[in-house]
C-alpha cells in the first residue's frame, strides 16, 4: 500500500524555478518506483531530478519512502 504526496508552490515569479516534490511512502516495492514523466508546455524548462530514498528491508518487506525533487 502506497501513499502519494505531491507539493509545489502556488505562485512563482517569472524567470524563477518552481520547486516540485513528489513523494511515495508505504510498504511494497519502493526500490522500483519511478517518477512519472509529463510533457512540459512551451516556455517551461525541466531540470534533472534528484531522488532520495529512506526505506528499510524487514521480514515484512520493504517500508519507507522515495522522494523526487
Amino acid at each position: 500500500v502506497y501513499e502519494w504526496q505531491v507539493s509545489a508552490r502556488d505562485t512563482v515569479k517569472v524567470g524563477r524555478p518552481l520547486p516540485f516534490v513528489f513523494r511515495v511512502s508505504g510498504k511494497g516495492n519502493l526500490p522500483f518506483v519511478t517518477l512519472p514523466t509529463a510533457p512540459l508546455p512551451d516556455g517551461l524548462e525541466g531540470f534533472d531530478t534528484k531522488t532520495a530514498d529512506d526505506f528499510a528491508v524487514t521480514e515484512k518487506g520493504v517500508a519507507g519512502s522515495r522522494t523526487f525533487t
Side-chain angles (χ1 to χ4, degrees):
V1 177
Y2 295 117
E3 178 180 309
W4 305 83
Q5 296 175 342
V6 178
S7 65
R9 293 184 190 161
D10 58 356
T11 60
V12 65
K13 294 181 181 181
V14 173
R16 301 293 298 166
L18 174 64
F20 182 82
V21 178
F22 184 83
R23 182 173 189 249
V24 181
S25 61
K27 297 177 184 175
N29 289 328
L30 288 168
F32 298 102
V33 173
T34 59
L35 183 65
T37 58
L40 294 175
D42 290 341
L44 291 183
E45 179 183 359
F47 296 94
D48 291 338
T49 302
K50 296 179 183 175
T51 304
D53 294 329
D54 182 19
F55 47 78
V57 179
T58 68
E59 58 189 41
K60 294 183 179 183
V62 178
S65 67
R66 174 168 272 185
T67 303
F68 302 94
T69 54

